[in-house]
Amino acid sequence: MSDLDLWPIGNCQVSALVDRDAQMVWACVPRVDGDPLFSALLGGEGQEQGLWAIDLHDQVEVRQEYLRNTPILSTRKTDSAGNAIEIIDFCPRFRRLGRTYRPVAFVRMIRPLAGSPRIRVRLKPTQNWGQAAEPLPGGSNHIRFALPALPMRLTTDAPVAMVREERFFRIERPMTFFLGPDEPFGDDLSRSAADMLASTTTEWREWVRGLATPVEWQDAVIRAAIALKLCQHEETGAIVAALTTSVPEHEGSQRNWDYRYCWIRDAYYTVQALNRLGALDVLEGYLVYLRNIVDAARGGDIQPLYGVSGEAGLEERIEDGLPGYRGMGPVRVGNQAYEQVQHDAYGQIVLSNVQAFFDHRLFRMATAEDFASLERIGERAFELHDQPDAGLWELRTRKHVHTYSSAMCWAACDRLSSAAQALGMEEKAGFWSERATTIRQRIEQAAWREDTRRISATFEGDDLDASLIQLLDLRFFAPEDPRFQGTLRAVEEGLRRGSHMLRYATEDDFGLPETAFNVCTFWLIEALQATGRQADARALFEEMLSRRTAAGLLSEDIHPQTGELWGNYPQTYSLVGTINCAVLLSKPWSSVR
């Protein structure tokens, strides 16, 4: 049965998910939001298409691990007689000729470790969302596939006839498989792949070496940071919410969404977490993407999400050719949320940019021209701060004035005031400070519920929502403020289920949600730490770490009773929570020096 115990590999152009038997079961070309080359993850049970398998005859054991501080996967397979092989999977990524080389390519290197192992290679790509892609005839050392998304070619020094016919054969020497664009491989395959592996290893380890990790939970933080980096489409700077589409939020829920796009909100949280580790390259790339989004908006509405090249139209459709994860469709492509009104995006654009007015490490610090551009965003935030929207949970059939959205509009004005001060614009600083005060007063008046002594998630009702915890992270409330403490108490009592937090506990467009939202649990951990419950925070954090896959990652959701992961994977929110909580809870480096 399919599950989410998957190992991502990638190069910030393409990515693949490898299962516990070393099968590539998900990969899209020519980029993360493209047609799935490998689609078995959404192919239902017993799927024989949409995968790339390396089978060991009479296999009895599989062990997997990443090469240290990289997204390069090593799989060791052993048969009943002790014969063994190692498979190295990676996507090349390294600096060459003054730019980053990150081809649409997947490399598999197989070598015998013991005895006389016999392997079978099954390369069964798909096209047009689940249709089998048959190989073209011919080729003595390659196999070609005329895929409409991008014609692909497997170049190999393995016996091509055995690969075509999916027959077992003895592997007595190392073999290399390079699956990339349909063009001749103009170099010695084995030597070139080995050089790519060495250069890719060095590139990732140098990136990790620059991270300011906490002393505790370093492995968890590094693994989360690498996965977040894989979620950035480096060409444009966009950051996708996850590498997959349509993994349901819980069994039979129909809550199947395409997360292979850049949400302004998710990307803000991603750069915020990586900034805490000093990974400024992700921030700088994303700010380029954001400046283009802001320019295109021309002072008008900002969408909640865009395509990885800034595409505004992401029309949602259902692809019936794939039955879905464990047969639980539908499989959705595109996301209709791009049409929604979500006012928190204005705050997140400003919050993502504000560091650039202060951080002298950046190659390009923000300028007065950038400030003027952001003021247009601030104007929209002020105009819309008390107007109904779909909210961060993207309700499809109802709108409210959401406290979280309003608080993000407050943050936009508050941080614009700070940016103006950094630029020496005292008059502008006062102007935006006054606007922030106006929004704050509106929130405190409209969202406070005197009878229950807490903040409501909406201005109109008396609702509980885990996003209220974020009023602490936004610095809207201090942890000792009795209004925040009352709100935290109510949210924990109403939404906590054992070791996990729901987003909300009321019916939405699809009924009552059954699974907990992982990032909400991390938000609770942060609040527990800030309000003096350090032991509870650490215990809950350790519990969340124990729920990670073998690859050290989390999806969007988890079932509170079974502990099974659901939702798209790996999910940036959940990885952000891992990093933020580790940084917050860890003892200082001075304790071990």
Side-chain angles (χ1 to χ4, degrees), residues 228 231-232 237-241 261-275 282-283 286 289-290 304 348-349 352 572-573 576:
L228 286 178
C231 288
Q232 182 167 49
I239 300 168
V240 299
Y261 307 110
C262 183
W263 269 259
I264 301 298
R265 176 173 47 253
D266 300 51
Y268 154 66
Y269 281 112
T270 297
V271 297
Q272 180 195 49
L274 290 176
N275 286 351
V282 177
L283 170 67
Y286 179 59
Y289 177 83
L290 266 190
Q348 288 135 7
I349 287 177
S352 296
T572 52
Y573 270 154
V576 163

Side-chain angles (χ1 to χ4, degrees), residues 142-203:
H142 66 262
I143 302 174
R144 299 170 60 219
F145 298 89
L147 306 180
L150 180 70
M152 298 289 284
R153 176 188 298 225
L154 175 73
T155 303
T156 183
D157 52 12
V160 168
M162 297 292 194
V163 176
R164 279 184 176 273
E165 297 168 16
E166 298 182 0
R167 294 165 53 191
F168 279 99
F169 61 91
R170 285 176 62 146
I171 177 168
E172 298 179 338
R173 57 176 175 80
M175 293 181 178
T176 301
F177 299 81
F178 184 95
L179 181 61
D182 184 18
E183 53 193 42
F185 196 95
D187 202 349
D188 180 284
L189 177 63
S190 178
R191 184 177 66 245
S192 181
D195 290 344
M196 289 181 186
L197 175 61
S199 296
T200 300
T201 301
T202 298
E203 185 77 17

Side-chain angles (χ1 to χ4, degrees), residues 6 190 218 221 285 329 338 375 449 461:
L6 304 170
S190 178
Q218 288 187 62
V221 169
Y338 84 92
E375 280 196 296
R449 300 293 175 264

Side-chain angles (χ1 to χ4, degrees), residues 192-476:
S192 181
D195 290 344
M196 289 181 186
L197 175 61
S199 296
T200 300
T201 301
T202 298
E203 185 77 17
W204 281 105
R205 287 178 175 168
E206 288 183 349
W207 185 79
V208 169
R209 186 173 179 269
L211 298 179
T213 60
V215 66
E216 296 184 87
W217 306 294
Q218 288 187 62
D219 289 343
V221 169
I222 289 170
R223 190 51 52 199
I226 290 174
L228 286 178
K229 178 67 175 171
L230 290 180
C231 288
Q232 182 167 49
H233 187 69
E234 211 165 39
E235 177 185 335
T236 64
I239 300 168
V240 299
L243 299 179
T244 60
T245 178
S246 302
V247 180
E249 293 182 15
H250 57 82
E251 185 173 1
S253 67
Q254 301 275 311
R255 301 169 187 264
N256 303 11
W257 314 117
D258 193 348
Y259 277 13
R260 301 169 305 146
Y261 307 110
C262 183
W263 269 259
I264 301 298
R265 176 173 47 253
D266 300 51
Y268 154 66
Y269 281 112
T270 297
V271 297
Q272 180 195 49
L274 290 176
N275 286 351
R276 288 170 172 158
L277 302 180
L280 298 179
D281 61 314
V282 177
L283 170 67
E284 289 177 314
Y286 179 59
L287 291 184
V288 172
Y289 177 83
L290 266 190
R291 285 192 287 269
N292 284 312
I293 294 296
V294 172
D295 286 350
R298 298 178 180 176
D301 289 334
I302 294 292
Q303 295 178 188
L305 67 153
Y306 294 85
V308 296
S309 291
E311 299 92 340
L314 302 172
E315 186 173 346
E316 187 176 297
R317 69 182 191 272
I318 292 175
E319 288 289 349
D320 295 322
L322 288 169
Y325 180 77
R326 298 184 187 171
M328 300 175 193
V331 171
R332 289 187 171 95
V333 181
N335 198 302
Q336 214 64 32
Y338 84 92
E339 293 182 329
Q340 289 187 350
V341 174
Q342 297 178 28
H343 298 150
D344 58 309
Y346 299 102
Q348 288 135 7
I349 287 177
V350 175
L351 287 168
S352 296
N353 275 275
V354 72
Q355 181 172 338
F357 291 94
F358 295 91
D359 196 334
H360 289 259
R361 297 171 297 171
L362 299 177
F363 288 132
R364 181 192 183 281
M365 290 188 67
T367 65
E369 181 183 358
D370 296 320
F371 179 81
S373 180
L374 288 176
E375 280 196 296
R376 296 199 298 270
I377 301 298
E379 292 289 350
R380 295 294 287 164
F382 185 72
E383 177 185 348
L384 298 169
H385 73 270
D386 59 355
Q387 299 302 304
D389 72 350
L392 81 162
W393 307 128
E394 301 185 341
L395 302 175
R396 293 199 164 197
T397 60
R398 64 191 81 169
K399 290 183 178 181
H400 300 284
V401 181
H402 289 94
T403 302
Y404 174 86
S405 296
S406 189
M408 274 293 178
C409 291
W410 165 82
C413 297
D414 179 74
R415 302 319 193 263
L416 279 172
S417 176
S418 299
Q421 287 181 327
L423 293 172
M425 300 177 173
E426 294 302 325
E427 185 175 336
K428 288 286 189 182
F431 173 82
W432 287 109
S433 179
E434 288 178 9
R435 289 201 155 183
T437 299
T438 299
I439 299 176
R440 170 183 282 278
Q441 291 171 346
R442 176 73 173 124
I443 294 171
E444 291 176 341
Q445 176 270 325
W448 176 249
R449 300 293 175 264
E450 184 63 33
D451 52 343
T452 52
R453 306 295 298 171
R454 61 179 175 82
I455 293 287
S456 168
T458 63
F459 283 15
E460 306 94 329
D462 190 5
D463 308 300
L464 282 178
D465 180 328
S467 67
L468 293 171
I469 302 175
Q470 284 292 281
L471 296 175
L472 178 65
D473 186 68
L474 288 175
R475 304 200 308 271
F476 190 88

